[in-house]
Amino acid sequence: MSSIELAGLSRRIRSVRRSLRIQLDESQGSWSGLSASCVRQALLVYLWSQAKTSHHALDAAATYLARAAPLVIVQVAVSAKDAFDALFAATSAALMARLSTDPPASELYRACDFIIQYLLHDWVRSQNVEYGVAPTRQQLVRQALLFVPDGLPEAVENRLCLPFSGGLPSQRTYLRRFWKAWNGRIGTLPVTASLPIHVLQEKAYSFYRWANCIPPDNILVNMDECSLAVHVEGCRDCFAVCTWCSASIFEYPEVPDVIIANKTQFPIKFMKSLDPAITDRLKIWRGATAWNTAAFMCSYLRLLHENWQSYCPEKPLPLLFDCAACHLHSTVRSLAKTLGLQVLVVPAGATGTLQPLDAYIFRTLRCEIRRQWTQTKSEAAEGVVSREAWLRVMATAVETVLSHRDWQRAFEGTGVTKQQNCISSHALKALQWDECPKIPAGRPSVGQASCIFPSRGAGSGNIEAWVKECAGDDSLIPYIRSWSGLSASCVRQALLVYLLSQAKTSHHALDAAATYLARAAPLVIVQVAVSAKDAFDALFAATSAALMARLSTDPPASELYRACDFIIQYLLHDWVRSQNVEYGVAPTRQQLVRQALLFVPDGLPEAVENRLCLPFYGGPPSQRAYLRRFRKAWNGRIGTLPVTASLPIHVLQEKAYSFYRWANCIPPDNILVNMDECSLAVHVEGCRGTVLRSVRGAVRASLSTQRSRMTLLASVSTDFGFNAILPQVIIANKTQFPIKFMKSLDPAITDRLKIWRGATAWNTAAFMCSYLRLLHENWQSYCPEKPLTLLFDCAACHLHSTVRSLAKTLGLQVLVVPAGATGTLQPLDAYIFRTLRCEIRRQWTQTKSEAAEGVVSREAWLRVMATAVETVLSHRDWQRAFEGTGVTKQQNCISSHALKALQWDECPKIPAGRPSVGQASCIFPSRGAGSGNIEAWVKECAGDDSLIPYIRTLN
């Protein structure tokens, strides 16, 4: 670094220290949201961690600062460490001396607790990374005690050690808190690959290059061994084979599944007595050993070839297996070449990532075997499973998992098919690729294949022979590159969709065919096309006239059915979209069925038409099954349409901007109180719980009680201490709570909950004035030196002129939530009322279950309300609700819910400023009590503009 750069850096550091010293002096130890207590604790972390980890003391203090105040932004600091450096330089010597000799006990405890957790986190990280150990609870407790700083006051030390010496429950509680704070968990360490990552990536690249030579319409077979235990008495090897083809695994059921046993395990006499139902499903071979050998591999290849020739000999069959010595024997290679089988070899050491059976299927097979085994053992005499019953378990599990499931996704997820376009996130993570690179198709050279085959053993000396004889034909590569996984059947069906949809929707026929192509082969990439529509255009232009004529006159029945089924679903999807968007209707099952029948193409063969209409004429069960499949394929659901805001989004954004501009005028040390009404039912209904199907609970309440409602004037504030004395008021009419009843009320209820009676249970301007006086009285008794701002919505009773005049007289500032935006911008509506109603239902259910005959008296109802209000409103810190709605903290902590409602990617920077009359007009209602006196509200109750420079400094 040059001398000029060093001089500039020195000037910058001096500027940092000077600016922070000024900020500390002006804001009395608090800058940009950082409290004086937080500053002292950061300094204590630095001082006390020096004894335990002197070279990490600065890191510990900087980490504390970053975690305790993550939203602190100092313009001149570039990191938490720079911020602490500047903070330390700006701290006076007197404060440092006091913290060294007589620190506050509570702050010293929190600082030391952080030091213990910080050092414990570093120790756990070193154990995980360097030693490969996941420490136990006992180890963590022992180590945490070693990290307690020395020389602490006895009371602080006892409090720090209490969780560790308090037994298992307190230790687990402490460690749960530690895991949550430091992103830990209970579990085992993940096992990393034994291969270096660059070697694994090289193997995968060469393997995928080889795999991309396989044409998409080939039948690809994966074969591998799986060890099977017979109740811990012996092991068998199983050829677990599954097939991928262009249509479905069910089209190729004759894939051999083989169990190999030694001659003593299955004697000849036992083999002759076996049920043919087992041997038909599972081949059983006996040998000198139960391990697979080259001889067994040759037998397997002959059996596979025989089944292939009887099934579909015109489709080539590549065989995929790993680098086991018995697979790579020269006799196996020679026989594969003789039988015309191509071979694709999974690289040694990478089977868990690149082989479908290992990566996806064997786990499912073992689970099914355990399930079948448990069931068979529970039904067997004395719990003893015979050899024949064991074989029946294996046959059933193999048939269920391997023969009767479509495992195409396993081949795609490992990247063997589809040109790695469908490769799974698991494979990408194992290969440490953010995304799979574009890998060209090409038969590997001997040098490239050398990283696939093992360095020693059966396959190490004949790599050239394997590549030349069994790696496929390079002449097909241009065809593969052109269509990247598009089968001939898929091409024909796309053309049929185009031809048949012209009669139903001629102007959408091309869109329908392109959509089919995109859905049937989503990863088809045609070099000359940039979209599915362009791809279909190119495909249509390349189609011969003979094929088009045959599709028009005599299409294959199965492909015609699938094309017509897609056309019905495509048109039905378009119709549902128009009903949802244009008409605001969610069509019923009957409407969908009626419309689907109208979309059946005309002039179809009778068999195809009957098959298409069968789900609709088969009654409600088959209709529901069809519609479930339709909703799953087209991203639909059963439900009601979401109700959009009555306000256009630009109006809502304008209201929010004006409101936030007004809210940003409020100094951060003000007490901000939110008040709103909440309707309370006298008889709480809809409480969910356990209900016996044969019983119908009786509603023990009169009709008038069920319909009766009261109003709660709920209040919360940004000051947790003030919440406890905020007025919480229930308004009832005079018939609901007579005078005699009011006099007999338990004082414990009326102390917690004010009860006002009026001609109606609704809030009025008179009640609002009473509320303001009560609020002012509590404020004056709590902290009169802090200004109080009242936040409420645009209800007519709130905006009455008498309310405004009284608020001005009492010295209360007012902040009005815009009309139509309370669900987003008002803390009580956005966060708190839902929690309150849940607590009311919980308390109500408990009280009702304990009441005589299930009848809740009026006094018991009031006790429920008082307890719920006290629990939710008075004894909780709701500062996060104010921050989440953007009312405080200059919208720096606004929630994702509010941003989504306002359709903002991030909240814009909104300056503080009392709104003008024009700007405030979008906050107040256009008619009603507050519509004609906007200017009076803004001038009299919107705060003082002279404070704005001070607010801008603090925020």
Side-chain angles (χ1 to χ4, degrees):
M1 183 179 290
S2 67
S3 58
I4 298 175
E5 291 174 333
L6 285 171
L9 182 61
S10 299
R11 283 196 300 272
R12 188 178 174 206
I13 292 173
R14 285 196 298 273
S15 174
V16 168
R17 294 176 175 176
R18 192 183 310 113
S19 61
L20 286 176
R21 188 179 291 110
I22 293 169
Q23 290 183 34
L24 283 167
D25 293 340
E26 289 182 352
S27 54
Q28 298 158 357
S30 149
W31 42 278
S32 298
L34 193 60
S35 66
S37 174
C38 182
V39 172
R40 290 194 295 271
Q41 287 171 47
L43 294 169
L44 283 169
V45 167
Y46 177 75
L47 294 173
W48 284 88
S49 60
Q50 284 182 316
K52 288 291 179 183
T53 171
S54 59
H55 56 292
H56 285 163
L58 179 58
D59 290 337
T63 304
Y64 178 84
L65 200 61
R67 295 172 70 89
L71 296 171
V72 168
I73 299 170
V74 184
Q75 291 179 353
V76 290
V78 293
S79 67
K81 192 176 288 188
D82 292 337
F84 182 77
D85 274 340
L87 183 67
F88 187 81
T91 304
S92 65
L95 176 59
M96 291 299 294
R98 185 162 63 85
L99 291 176
S100 302
T101 55
D102 186 24
S106 61
E107 294 173 0
L108 179 61
Y109 164 75
R110 283 193 288 270
C112 292
D113 184 54
F114 176 82
I115 292 169
I116 293 170
Q117 292 194 26
Y118 176 81
L119 296 176
L120 195 61
H121 169 260
D122 269 9
W123 179 78
V124 171
R125 178 185 290 277
S126 70
Q127 291 289 306
N128 291 171
V129 176
E130 297 172 18
Y131 299 94
V133 173
T136 63
R137 174 182 54 81
Q138 295 88 337
Q139 291 173 301
L140 289 169
V141 169
R142 194 180 310 120
Q143 202 65 29
L145 287 170
L146 296 177
F147 291 144
V148 176
D150 302 322
L152 293 173
E154 186 178 359
V156 174
E157 187 171 359
N158 290 342
R159 188 179 173 189
L160 285 169
C161 297
L162 184 61
F164 310 120
S165 58
L168 294 181
S170 63
Q171 290 173 6
R172 291 192 178 111
T173 302
Y174 180 88
L175 292 178
R176 275 196 296 270
R177 182 163 63 91
F178 169 73
W179 292 321
K180 184 177 180 181
W182 295 90
N183 196 23
R185 63 181 176 86
I186 295 178
T188 57
L189 284 170
V191 180
T192 58
S194 57
L195 294 173
I197 189 61
H198 70 279
V199 176
L200 182 62
Q201 289 175 344
E202 183 184 2
K203 286 176 177 283
Y205 192 93
S206 298
F207 171 71
Y208 287 147
R209 180 178 168 83
W210 189 354
N212 291 347
C213 290
I214 300 172
D217 51 355
N218 282 19
I219 300 173
L220 183 58
V221 175
N222 181 207
M223 184 278 295
D224 196 17
E225 294 86 3
C226 174
S227 179
L228 304 176
V230 184
H231 202 67
V232 199
E233 294 178 359
C235 294
R236 311 288 190 271
D237 275 351
C238 171
F239 279 139
V241 184
C242 74
T243 300
W244 174 84
C245 63
S246 58
S248 168
I249 196 169
F250 297 112
E251 295 182 8
Y252 188 25
E254 301 299 328
V255 181
D257 297 315
V258 183
I259 278 187
I260 300 175
N262 63 41
K263 294 176 181 178
T264 59
Q265 289 168 329
F266 290 157
I268 294 177
K269 186 177 180 180
F270 169 75
M271 294 294 292
K272 289 180 178 178
S273 66
L274 265 181
D275 185 357
I278 297 175
T279 53
D280 288 346
R281 293 186 291 173
L282 200 63
K283 304 296 179 186
I284 302 171
W285 294 345
R286 300 163 62 247
T289 175
W291 296 106
N292 191 14
T293 63
F296 281 135
M297 272 300 296
C298 291
S299 301
Y300 171 80
L301 291 183
R302 293 187 187 96
L303 184 59
L304 177 65
H305 179 264
E306 180 185 338
N307 294 352
W308 167 42
Q309 292 299 309
S310 66
Y311 170 66
C312 189
E314 65 274 8
K315 289 185 177 181
L317 189 146
L319 179 61
L320 172 68
F321 51 59
D322 58 29
C323 291
C326 59
H327 301 168
L328 300 183
H329 199 274
S330 57
T331 56
V332 176
R333 184 188 75 247
S334 302
L335 182 60
K337 181 183 178 182
T338 304
L339 297 175
L341 299 175
Q342 296 177 32
V343 170
L344 179 62
V345 180
V346 180
T351 56
T353 304
L354 304 179
Q355 180 163 247
L357 280 164
D358 279 332
Y360 284 85
I361 303 169
F362 278 155
R363 182 176 181 180
T364 307
L365 177 63
R366 290 190 180 98
C367 289
E368 181 64 22
I369 288 173
R370 281 194 293 269
R371 193 182 70 80
Q372 295 283 350
W373 164 267
T374 305
Q375 183 177 346
T376 303
K377 188 172 174 63
S378 67
E379 297 169 356
E382 298 181 359
V384 178
V385 180
S386 65
R387 286 179 294 191
E388 186 169 355
W390 182 88
L391 281 173
R392 190 172 283 107
V393 165
M394 297 303 141
T396 305
V398 166
E399 189 175 36
T400 302
V401 176
L402 301 181
S403 304
H404 289 173
R405 283 198 193 178
D406 184 359
W407 285 109
Q408 183 173 344
R409 184 68 190 89
F411 288 83
E412 295 171 0
T414 51
V416 180
T417 59
K418 294 287 183 72
Q419 308 283 305
Q420 297 79 53
N421 288 316
C422 295
I423 190 169
S424 68
S425 57
H426 167 77
L428 289 174
K429 184 178 179 181
L431 295 169
Q432 294 187 19
W433 283 343
D434 294 333
E435 59 180 16
C436 189
K438 296 296 180 184
I439 302 175
R443 191 171 63 178
S445 64
V446 175
Q448 291 168 334
S450 62
C451 71
I452 294 177
F453 289 82
S455 57
R456 59 182 183 275
S460 58
N462 50 15
I463 296 174
E464 187 175 1
W466 274 102
V467 172
K468 287 184 176 179
E469 296 176 14
C470 302
D473 184 6
D474 278 346
S475 63
L476 289 173
I477 291 173
Y479 163 71
I480 298 163
R481 284 179 179 157
S482 296
W483 295 105
S484 301
L486 191 59
S487 67
S489 175
C490 181
V491 171
R492 290 193 295 269
Q493 288 171 45
L495 294 169
L496 282 170
V497 167
Y498 178 74
L499 294 173
L500 292 166
S501 59
Q502 283 183 315
K504 287 291 179 184
T505 171
S506 58
H507 56 292
H508 285 162
L510 179 59
D511 291 337
T515 304
Y516 177 83
L517 198 62
R519 294 172 72 87
L523 299 164
V524 167
I525 301 170
V526 183
Q527 290 179 350
V528 294
V530 293
S531 66
K533 193 176 288 188
D534 292 335
F536 182 77
D537 277 339
L539 182 67
F540 188 80
T543 304
S544 65
L547 177 59
M548 291 300 293
R550 184 161 64 86
L551 291 176
S552 301
T553 55
D554 187 25
S558 61
E559 294 173 0
L560 179 62
Y561 164 75
R562 283 193 287 269
C564 292
D565 184 55
F566 176 82
I567 291 169
I568 294 170
Q569 292 194 29
Y570 176 80
L571 297 176
L572 196 61
H573 169 261
D574 270 8
W575 180 77
V576 171
R577 177 184 290 276
S578 70
Q579 291 290 307
N580 289 171
V581 176
E582 298 173 17
Y583 299 93
V585 173
T588 62
R589 174 177 55 84
Q590 294 86 342
Q591 290 174 298
L592 289 167
V593 168
R594 194 180 311 119
Q595 202 66 29
L597 288 170
L598 297 177
F599 291 145
V600 177
D602 302 322
L604 295 174
E606 186 177 359
V608 174
E609 186 171 0
N610 290 342
R611 188 179 173 190
L612 285 170
C613 296
L614 184 63
F616 310 122
Y617 290 138
S622 63
Q623 291 171 4
R624 291 190 181 103
Y626 180 88
L627 293 177
R628 273 196 300 272
R629 182 162 63 92
F630 167 74
R631 287 190 291 268
K632 183 177 180 180
W634 295 90
N635 196 23
R637 63 181 176 87
I638 295 178
T640 57
L641 283 170
V643 180
T644 58
S646 57
L647 294 173
I649 188 61
H650 70 278
V651 176
L652 182 61
Q653 289 174 344
E654 184 185 1
K655 286 175 177 282
Y657 192 94
S658 297
F659 171 71
Y660 287 147
R661 180 179 168 84
W662 188 354
N664 291 347
C665 289
I666 301 170
D669 52 354
N670 277 25
I671 298 175
L672 184 58
V673 175
N674 181 206
M675 186 279 296
D676 197 19
E677 295 86 0
C678 175
S679 178
L680 302 177
V682 173
H683 182 80
V684 182
E685 295 181 354
C687 299
R688 296 175 64 86
T690 303
V691 177
L692 297 178
R693 295 182 184 277
S694 58
V695 176
R696 185 173 180 178
V699 179
R700 301 188 180 278
S702 64
L703 187 60
S704 61
T705 303
Q706 293 177 49
R707 293 176 175 174
S708 182
R709 295 286 187 276
M710 298 183 199
T711 300
L712 170 68
L713 299 187
S715 308
V716 291
S717 79
T718 53
D719 189 315
F720 176 63
F722 193 39
N723 277 344
I725 61 171
L726 273 175
Q728 313 292 348
V729 182
I730 281 186
I731 301 175
N733 65 40
K734 295 176 181 178
T735 59
Q736 289 170 324
F737 291 156
I739 295 177
K740 186 177 179 181
F741 169 76
M742 294 292 292
K743 290 180 178 178
S744 65
L745 265 181
D746 184 356
I749 297 175
T750 53
D751 288 346
R752 294 185 291 172
L753 200 63
K754 303 296 179 186
I755 303 170
W756 294 345
R757 299 164 62 248
T760 175
W762 296 104
N763 192 15
T764 62
F767 281 137
M768 273 301 297
C769 292
S770 302
Y771 172 84
L772 292 183
R773 294 186 187 95
L774 186 57
L775 177 65
H776 179 264
E777 180 184 336
N778 293 353
W779 168 42
Q780 292 299 309
S781 65
Y782 175 70
C783 189
E785 64 274 8
K786 286 187 177 181
L788 189 144
T789 305
L790 180 60
L791 171 69
F792 51 57
D793 58 31
C794 290
C797 59
H798 300 169
L799 300 183
H800 199 273
S801 57
T802 57
V803 176
R804 184 187 72 247
S805 302
L806 183 59
K808 182 183 178 182
T809 303
L810 297 176
L812 300 175
Q813 295 179 31
V814 171
L815 179 61
V816 180
V817 180
T822 55
T824 303
L825 304 179
Q826 180 162 248
L828 279 166
D829 279 329
Y831 284 84
I832 303 170
F833 279 154
R834 181 176 181 179
T835 307
L836 176 63
R837 291 190 179 97
C838 289
E839 181 64 21
I840 287 173
R841 281 194 292 270
R842 193 183 69 79
Q843 296 282 350
W844 164 267
T845 304
Q846 183 176 345
T847 302
K848 188 173 174 63
S849 68
E850 297 169 355
E853 299 183 357
V855 178
V856 180
S857 65
R858 286 178 295 190
E859 186 168 356
W861 181 87
L862 280 174
R863 191 172 282 108
V864 164
M865 298 302 144
T867 305
V869 165
E870 190 175 37
T871 302
V872 175
L873 302 183
S874 303
H875 290 171
R876 283 199 193 179
D877 185 359
W878 286 108
Q879 187 169 347
R880 184 68 191 87
F882 288 84
E883 295 171 1
T885 51
V887 180
T888 60
K889 293 288 181 73
Q890 306 285 306
Q891 297 80 53
N892 287 320
C893 299
I894 190 170
S895 68
S896 57
H897 167 76
L899 289 174
K900 184 178 179 182
L902 295 169
Q903 295 187 19
W904 283 342
D905 293 333
E906 59 180 16
C907 189
K909 296 297 181 184
I910 302 175
R914 191 172 62 177
S916 65
V917 175
Q919 291 168 333
S921 61
C922 70
I923 294 177
F924 289 82
S926 57
R927 59 182 182 274
S931 58
N933 50 15
I934 296 175
E935 186 175 1
W937 274 101
V938 171
K939 287 185 177 180
E940 296 177 15
C941 301
D944 184 5
D945 276 347
S946 64
L947 289 174
I948 290 174
Y950 165 70
I951 298 163
R952 285 177 178 157
T953 302
L954 291 181
N955 293 290

